[in-house]
Amino acid sequence: AIGDVRLKVLDLGDGTYAYANGNPSANKLVTPVLTVGGAYTAGDCFGTKLTVANAVRVTGGSVRVEAVTLTDKSDQAGAFTVLLFAADPSASTFTDNSAPSIDETADLLALAGAITIATGDYIDLGASRVAPVAPTTSGSRLPVSLTLAGTSLYVVVLAQNTNSSTAGDVQLRLHLRQD
């Protein structure tokens, strides 16, 4: 037996918490902006590029995406790939309900990780579903460690099957550990 372990948690007052090891943790909620809505097919951008402000506490800091939770109010259990960019992929185009166009010269190397959310990851809640994806989830590719160019993390969600969600139906919560 290891014994009774007590974990000290310190509220840093800015939506983050520091644990006994000193690494702050943050949960960041982002909602894909669905301007077109409906009739998404595999490979389409599900919304546009999302900015996760203050993903790290200092410019050039590092972060571990330890888990993600996708909430689906439309009860569709869509398959998604979540692309994580360590720098703003500003030379690329991410248009809702269209294939992404990633600039291979300026932005491809900023693509630092991808998280897969499969249809089998969802828990059915009746009229809605939730997909908690953690390192133990098959094919999740978590955790993902990133060193950011600034303090923001950039996220693009790609549909991997047919989906007809509309604005506000899907939210993504990133569970971060800031180094």
Side-chain angles (χ1 to χ4, degrees):
I2 295 174
D4 185 17
V5 177
R6 300 203 189 277
L7 183 64
K8 181 176 180 181
V9 179
L10 174 65
D11 184 347
L12 300 177
D14 62 356
T16 61
Y17 300 88
Y19 292 90
N21 68 358
N23 291 23
S25 177
N27 289 316
K28 301 289 186 172
L29 183 66
V30 291
T31 302
V33 179
L34 306 181
T35 56
V36 178
Y40 292 91
T41 58
D44 282 352
C45 289
F46 193 77
T48 57
K49 174 182 68 180
L50 301 166
T51 301
V52 181
N54 301 312
V56 295
R57 298 175 62 77
V58 296
T59 298
S62 61
V63 64
R64 283 172 45 107
V65 180
E66 295 190 333
V68 298
T69 302
L70 188 134
T71 305
D72 180 4
K73 296 176 187 175
S74 62
D75 198 24
Q76 295 194 38
F80 297 98
T81 299
V82 179
L83 303 178
L84 305 170
F85 290 88
D88 187 356
S90 57
S92 298
T93 304
F94 304 103
T95 303
D96 184 35
N97 212 348
S98 297
S101 177
I102 299 176
D103 187 293
E104 296 171 354
T105 304
D107 295 332
L108 189 59
L109 292 179
L111 179 57
I115 300 165
T116 302
I117 300 171
T119 57
D121 293 334
Y122 286 88
I123 298 167
D124 190 348
L125 303 174
S128 59
R129 296 177 187 250
V130 63
V133 179
T136 56
T137 306
S138 176
S140 71
R141 299 184 190 149
L142 287 170
V144 176
S145 294
L146 310 152
T147 300
L148 304 184
T151 59
S152 294
L153 172 65
Y154 299 90
V155 176
V156 174
V157 179
L158 301 178
Q160 294 305 318
N161 62 359
T162 302
N163 192 303
S164 59
S165 294
T166 57
D169 282 351
V170 174
Q171 291 184 317
L172 183 68
R173 183 174 303 279
L174 302 168
H175 307 276
L176 308 176
R177 179 63 54 97
Q178 301 166 322
D179 293 332

